[in-house]
Amino acid sequence: MPDFMSYKDKFTNGKFVEKISRIAKRAGVKLVYAALILYYTLESDKVSRKDKAVIIGALGYLISPLDVIPDAIPIAGLSDDLAVLIYVLHKVWGDVSEEVKAKAKAKLAMWFDMDEIENVNDIFDNNNTDENPV
C-alpha cells in the first residue's frame, strides 16, 4: 500500500490543477468537483488536522498511479477514485463553505459545459445518501 501522505507536496495550486485538468473530461464532472472541493477545503481553518490528513489521503489516491481499479480501464477505472472522494467529501461536507463550492464551480466552468456542471448538484444522490448538499 503506498504512503499517500507522501503526496502532500503535490498539492500546490499549479500542480494539482494541472493534474486534474488532464483527467477532467475522462473523469467526469462529479469526480472533478469532489476533488476540487476537497482541495480547496484544505485551505480552511475550520477543518481539523485529522480531516485534512484524510483529505490529503483521498487526493493522493486520486493522483496515485496505484489504484484498486487502474485508471486506464475505461469507465470503471475512475470509479474507485470517485468512491473515495465522495466518502471523504461526505465526511467533511459540514465544513465546506459556500465560498469553496463557488470556487470549485468556477474552476469547473473552465473544463465543462453548464449542463454538465448542473450534475454536481446531486453529487451525493447517486451515492446512496439522504443528503442533497448543493
Side-chain angles (χ1 to χ4, degrees):
M1 185 87 167
D3 176 15
F4 292 116
M5 291 305 287
S6 67
Y7 289 97
K8 66 180 173 30
D9 295 332
K10 303 285 188 198
F11 294 114
T12 63
N13 190 38
K15 287 182 182 178
F16 184 77
V17 169
E18 177 186 327
K19 172 68 177 182
I20 201 73
S21 68
R22 285 196 308 260
I23 64 168
K25 287 292 185 178
R26 196 178 89 214
V29 70
K30 288 184 181 183
L31 184 142
V32 175
Y33 182 65
L36 289 170
I37 290 283
L38 292 174
Y39 176 72
Y40 293 139
T41 298
L42 283 174
E43 300 171 348
S44 173
D45 58 358
K46 292 172 54 175
V47 179
S48 72
R49 292 180 85 175
K50 179 183 171 193
D51 284 347
K52 285 185 179 188
V54 172
I55 290 170
I56 289 170
L59 294 176
Y61 186 78
L62 173 65
I63 64 173
S64 170
L66 303 173
D67 278 358
V68 173
I69 303 172
D71 293 345
I73 298 173
I75 301 171
L78 293 170
S79 63
D80 61 322
D81 298 276
L82 180 59
V84 168
L85 294 177
I86 294 296
Y87 175 80
V88 173
L89 184 58
H90 193 268
K91 180 175 175 20
V92 302
W93 190 256
D95 295 324
V96 176
S97 70
E98 292 302 318
E99 179 183 334
V100 164
K101 294 173 193 175
K103 190 174 180 180
K105 283 186 177 181
K107 186 60 78 174
L108 288 179
M110 297 173 64
W111 301 317
F112 296 96
D113 297 329
M114 286 309 295
D115 59 325
E116 293 172 302
I117 293 171
E118 289 176 12
N119 289 327
V120 303
N121 292 336
D122 65 352
I123 193 165
F124 293 137
D125 289 350
N126 293 336
N127 292 288
N128 299 322
T129 66
D130 297 327
E131 294 181 54
N132 188 4
V134 183

